[in-house]
Amino acid sequence: MSSLTADDLERGLDAIIEEVDTLSADYEVVVREAIEAAREKPLSDTEARSLYVRILTILRTAGRRLDEAQSAGVAGEIKAEAEALISARAARQVTPAGGEASGGLVFHERNGLKLRPVVPIPTFNGQSIALHEGYVDVATLPLWIGNHRVELYVDEFRTFNGRDPNAEELLSIMHGKLALPSQDSVDPFKLRGLAASIARKGVERAPIVTWEGEPKDGNRRIAASRLVLADPDATFEAKERARWIRVWQAPEGTTDDQFEAIVVALNFEPDHKEDWPEYVKARRVVERYRLLRDDIKGNLSAAKQLELRKQVAEMFAIEHKDVKRYLEMVKWAEDFEEYHVTDRGLDEAAVRYKANDIFQWFYEVQAGRGPDKLVQKVEQDEALRAIAYDLMYDVLDSGLQVRNLHKVVADEAALGYLKKAHDETDPDEALKFVDIAIAEAQKNSPTRKLGFEQFLNSAVDRLGSTTPEQWKDVDLELLNDLRRVFHGSLGAIDGVLAVKVGAPQ
């Protein structure tokens, strides 16, 4: 039975496909299908590893009967050989031949761009600096240890280790893989969102580097690109977008003052960019989801919905959980708009502006659990839908009030006050009734009652074990307050006992 040679390992994917292609006719159809899939598109490391294992398993075990020990041994050999193939494959993908040296960097022609001057000459904080631009392999770019964003982390590392972090340690700090005592986050530089964006469309703003290649601007972009390269689940295309990064290289002899001007201009001066309203972004995400969903025939399983959300999330460089959140929020925003335009006859544009202003509230309306959710109740009760939406449009002024509405509608007394708020023509008076309704609901909530009973149990246990000596050290003013509170509480307790068990008052 043929096995892969050392030369095959060095040649990587092409070698194994060529060898197995000659044998696949004698074995399973699945091998031929896997080979064709590999030829049609580049494979991610995860996909390639799976392919290698499947093919090697057939090559090593076809026609053989193995006992348990032999099977375990062959499985170990297959895993090791597959990992060797992955390493050989990665080594072949690092840098193509050729390139143009400039200072401490090697530039490669990518996307039709060769090394060239940046035109017009950019100006930073009043200083014009002639730069060159071109594509380099991000793996050849070091991080700048003097970057102000990392200086506190570098100082802490230096304190504990007596030296500066090396290049890999600095990268590990930015990736959150080398945790320092003061760090309380696995993503201290918020690289994950940036990495997702880079995986989808590459680095858009070129880092600025010295003649030698040290980045004076763009540390996060470089570190995020390296995060994509280290992700075993990233596709080949995503890694290629992250690997080749366009940089602006400063000329030899650029002074510290000029680099300071660059840093100040890019990090202190506002760019006056105005973010899109979240409602606008959410609508675009939901529109894309619905467009893709409409192309799928039949019902969508939970697994298919998740796959679809992940696909949309990748398009917009967000998390799939954000897609799910937007789907729910836009659903209720649209219901809110339909009610006010159709039932109340309000101007459609005015309603849309209002929905945009309060868009976050459509997340809050989903507070609660199961049938206790406000959205579940308004679906079943048109009158309640009108009360909630009218108050959201005309009266309420905070998301916290919206979040508490599910408690209010579950409490009869509190709901009565909410209806008074809805009937009130003066917005200020209506808001007062809303606050009263929320306070009433919170007072009567099962959670609050449970918490009070837990407190009383604790007080009984604590006071029951208190000795007379311990009271002698209590502050006089506190003792007087306790006596006053205990006196009033005992009166209330006696009254409740008289009703519940007929005890004498």
Side-chain angles (χ1 to χ4, degrees):
M1 179 60 61
S2 172
S3 62
L4 299 178
T5 66
D7 289 339
D8 292 329
L9 287 176
E10 293 177 2
R11 286 195 295 270
L13 178 62
D14 294 337
I16 192 172
I17 288 180
E18 180 180 354
E19 178 177 348
V20 177
D21 196 19
T22 64
L23 299 172
S24 61
D26 297 327
Y27 300 117
E28 299 182 4
V29 175
V30 67
V31 177
R32 293 197 299 274
E33 293 176 348
I35 291 170
E36 291 305 318
R39 282 175 171 161
E40 289 176 4
K41 67 174 184 177
L43 300 176
S44 69
D45 285 351
T46 300
E47 294 167 330
R49 183 180 290 105
S50 177
L51 173 64
Y52 295 158
V53 169
R54 290 165 66 192
I55 293 175
L56 287 168
T57 300
I58 291 173
L59 286 174
R60 293 296 185 85
T61 63
R64 298 172 62 187
R65 292 185 178 181
L66 305 176
D67 59 27
E68 185 174 347
Q70 289 173 323
S71 296
V74 171
E77 292 174 4
I78 288 172
K79 182 177 180 181
E81 197 165 349
E83 292 302 323
L85 284 167
I86 291 293
S87 298
R89 176 177 182 264
R92 295 173 66 230
Q93 294 174 349
V94 171
T95 307
E100 182 178 352
S102 175
L105 294 173
V106 176
F107 290 84
H108 297 267
E109 182 177 356
R110 302 286 298 181
N111 302 322
L113 176 64
K114 295 182 178 180
L115 181 63
R116 69 180 184 185
V118 177
V119 289
I121 297 175
T123 300
F124 303 96
N125 206 25
Q127 297 196 47
S128 296
I129 303 175
L131 305 172
H132 280 72
E133 67 176 347
Y135 281 92
V136 301
D137 184 343
V138 72
T140 67
L141 292 175
L143 294 176
W144 179 28
I145 197 171
N147 184 285
H148 297 301
R149 195 187 298 274
V150 302
E151 64 180 349
L152 294 178
Y153 297 86
V154 170
D155 286 344
E156 185 175 4
F157 181 95
R158 190 182 295 123
T159 298
F160 282 92
N161 296 280
R163 60 176 178 83
D164 287 343
N166 59 35
E168 287 304 314
E169 288 168 335
L170 182 57
L171 184 64
S172 293
I173 289 173
M174 292 198 69
H175 285 177
K177 295 178 179 178
L178 198 167
L180 298 170
S182 66
Q183 285 182 235
D184 58 359
S185 172
V186 296
D187 188 17
F189 292 87
K190 296 180 173 59
L191 296 181
R192 292 182 178 178
L194 179 57
S197 174
I198 291 172
R200 186 172 65 88
K201 57 185 178 179
V203 174
E204 294 185 308
R205 195 179 91 183
I208 298 179
V209 302
T210 66
W211 176 251
E212 294 76 18
E214 184 178 62
K216 294 297 185 179
D217 170 74
N219 252 27
R220 284 186 70 246
R221 278 161 275 160
I222 293 169
S225 297
R226 297 284 294 273
L227 194 60
V228 176
L229 295 182
D231 182 1
D233 295 325
T235 65
F236 177 83
E237 295 87 352
K239 290 191 176 186
E240 284 292 283
R241 284 189 286 269
R243 183 184 304 282
W244 300 106
I245 182 170
R246 180 173 59 92
V247 300
W248 284 6
Q249 184 187 38
E252 189 174 13
T254 302
T255 66
D256 290 341
D257 287 343
Q258 288 175 311
F259 281 123
E260 182 68 15
I262 291 173
V263 171
V264 168
L266 295 177
N267 293 280
F268 285 79
E269 294 179 2
D271 58 10
H272 301 289
K273 180 180 178 181
E274 186 70 22
D275 287 339
W276 284 9
E278 189 173 19
Y279 192 20
V280 175
K281 293 190 287 187
R283 280 188 174 276
R284 290 203 61 189
V285 170
V286 172
E287 286 171 3
R288 174 61 62 177
Y289 178 91
R290 290 172 177 172
L291 184 64
L292 295 176
R293 181 196 61 193
D294 290 342
D295 289 337
I296 300 174
K297 296 180 180 179
N299 294 328
L300 287 181
S301 65
K304 189 62 179 178
Q305 291 179 44
L306 176 60
E307 180 184 338
L308 200 57
R309 291 197 299 271
K310 287 183 176 179
Q311 184 179 348
V312 173
E314 185 175 353
M315 292 178 181
F316 291 95
I318 57 178
E319 298 289 333
H320 68 85
K321 62 183 179 181
D322 294 323
V323 177
K324 184 176 182 180
R325 177 168 59 88
Y326 281 157
L327 287 168
E328 290 295 328
M329 292 172 71
V330 169
K331 170 187 173 182
W332 292 109
E334 290 173 342
D335 191 59
F336 174 87
E337 292 176 19
E338 181 185 7
Y339 165 77
H340 286 293
V341 173
T342 304
D343 293 15
R344 292 187 67 186
L346 300 184
D347 178 70
E348 186 173 352
V351 172
R352 178 64 62 87
Y353 279 119
K354 183 65 177 182
N356 177 68
D357 291 341
I358 65 172
F359 183 61
Q360 283 299 327
W361 293 7
F362 298 108
Y363 178 76
E364 304 295 354
V365 296
Q366 300 169 68
R369 295 183 179 180
D372 291 334
K373 285 178 175 287
L374 176 66
V375 291
Q376 297 290 337
K377 294 182 182 297
V378 300
E379 281 187 326
Q380 302 165 8
D381 188 335
E382 284 294 323
L384 184 59
R385 175 172 177 254
I387 291 174
Y389 284 169
D390 285 347
L391 291 174
M392 288 173 66
Y393 196 98
D394 298 316
V395 176
L396 303 186
D397 59 8
S398 80
L400 180 60
Q401 294 166 335
V402 179
R403 190 185 313 157
N404 282 304
L405 285 183
H406 77 281
K407 300 177 184 177
V408 172
V409 299
D411 183 279
E412 186 175 349
L415 181 57
Y417 287 115
L418 195 69
K419 290 178 178 178
K420 288 183 178 180
H422 183 251
D423 295 337
E424 179 60 57
T425 57
D426 184 341
D428 291 336
E429 290 299 315
L431 192 58
K432 290 180 182 179
F433 278 119
V434 170
D435 291 336
I436 294 171
I438 293 173
E440 181 71 16
Q442 290 177 334
K443 180 184 69 175
N444 298 329
S445 71
T447 302
R448 183 156 185 159
K449 290 181 179 178
L450 179 61
F452 183 56
E453 289 185 0
Q454 289 176 336
F455 163 74
L456 291 178
N457 282 325
S458 175
V460 168
D461 291 341
R462 182 67 174 167
L463 293 174
S465 62
T466 302
T467 65
E469 292 297 322
Q470 288 178 279
W471 290 103
K472 293 180 180 179
D473 298 326
V474 177
D475 180 77
L476 179 61
E477 185 176 353
L478 178 57
L479 284 172
N480 284 323
D481 287 339
L482 284 169
R483 183 178 182 180
R484 173 178 52 80
V485 170
F486 283 162
H487 180 75
S489 297
L490 285 172
I493 292 169
D494 288 342
V496 172
L497 288 173
V499 173
K500 288 189 173 183
V501 298
Q505 296 191 34

